[in-house]
Amino acid sequence: MICPNDGTEMHQVKIVAHYGQPIIVDQCQICGGIWFDEAELFRARQGEADRIEMLDADIARAPSMIEESELLCPRDRAVMLQFADRYFPQDIILVHCRLCSGIWLNRGGFVQYQRFRQGLLQRSQQKSAADKRRAEIKKLVESYESGRITGTLRKLGEFLSTPADRGVFTSLGAILWIIDQISN
Ligand SMILES: [Zn+2]
Ligand SMILES: [Zn+2]
């Protein structure tokens, strides 16, 4: 397959998908761009970019090759379009073919994309942890309001991972103060 940037015959490079299946992508040894068929980019396991991107000092000094306004798909020669979405980072230049759904990434783009995805995953994990914590707090408040104070204090103690002293938390104010501390 021919590189859309410089017409060089690209090399096939094996990378690993999420569940360990191999994916063969095409990488240009001259400009460092990588071609992904269909959803290969999204299936690539985290960390594969760091493994295969040619980001050594010499290559990093070379100018970026995507400067042409029109790149042709290496599969079907259709004009490729730059992907733009307000949630997608502007500094990652992702060019795609609407005919075959292939994706072309400039040198360094694969690493940038995987770092972006890693950030999204971390944020969603933090969010689900926060949601879980909010749900636990809600249960505690409902438990207190239903009058099961002993159970509430025990659960609150478990929640804080410290033994609850029943003599200390006897008022709703104290519990609300703790809940406030937990939820911040
Ligand atoms: Zn190239
Ligand atoms: Zn195509």
Side-chain angles (χ1 to χ4, degrees):
M1 199 185 289
I2 300 296
C3 170
N5 273 331
D6 48 48
T8 309
E9 182 68 34
M10 294 194 280
H11 288 221
Q12 294 198 323
V13 178
K14 193 163 114 180
I15 60 171
V16 178
H18 294 303
Y19 298 105
Q21 309 99 315
I23 300 174
I24 306 292
V25 298
D26 298 271
Q27 185 175 38
C28 176
Q29 305 293 299
I30 301 299
C31 69
I34 303 174
W35 172 258
F36 299 85
D37 283 321
E38 296 187 31
E40 285 175 344
L41 171 65
F42 312 111
R43 291 174 52 222
R45 187 154 78 185
Q46 197 65 35
E48 287 298 273
D50 286 311
R51 195 171 64 74
I52 73 156
E53 283 263 42
M54 302 181 296
L55 293 176
D56 60 83
D58 283 348
I59 290 169
R61 269 198 295 275
S64 166
M65 293 285 187
I66 293 187
E67 276 153 18
E68 316 280 323
S69 54
E70 271 189 3
L71 288 179
L72 301 182
C73 172
R75 276 219 180 278
D76 48 48
R77 318 301 298 159
V79 173
M80 297 196 285
L81 300 172
Q82 191 170 327
F83 176 77
D85 182 286
R86 66 197 180 103
Y87 298 110
F88 197 78
Q90 301 286 303
D91 56 337
I92 302 179
I93 299 169
L94 190 152
V95 185
H96 68 114
C97 172
R98 283 157 79 184
L99 271 189
C100 68
S101 304
I103 290 170
W104 175 256
L105 281 176
N106 199 8
R107 180 190 52 246
F110 188 26
V111 165
Q112 279 179 302
Y113 170 76
Q114 286 216 321
R115 285 184 190 154
F116 163 68
R117 182 172 71 182
Q118 183 71 25
L120 282 184
L121 284 175
Q122 277 164 358
R123 278 202 294 282
S124 74
Q125 278 156 8
Q126 281 161 5
K127 192 185 169 296
S128 67
D131 286 347
K132 199 176 158 208
R133 180 168 263 215
R134 267 193 290 275
E136 287 183 52
I137 291 168
K138 189 164 171 281
K139 262 194 289 179
L140 286 173
V141 172
E142 282 166 0
S143 174
Y144 179 84
E145 286 169 349
S146 67
R148 295 191 296 272
I149 182 68
T150 308
T152 304
L153 291 176
R154 188 177 48 75
K155 276 188 268 177
L156 198 59
E158 285 168 4
F159 189 59
L160 291 168
S161 308
T162 49
D165 179 349
R166 283 176 206 183
V168 175
F169 310 122
T170 49
S171 72
L172 180 60
I175 289 177
L176 290 179
W177 179 83
I178 292 161
I179 288 169
D180 195 52
Q181 299 304 301
I182 300 166
S183 48
N184 280 330

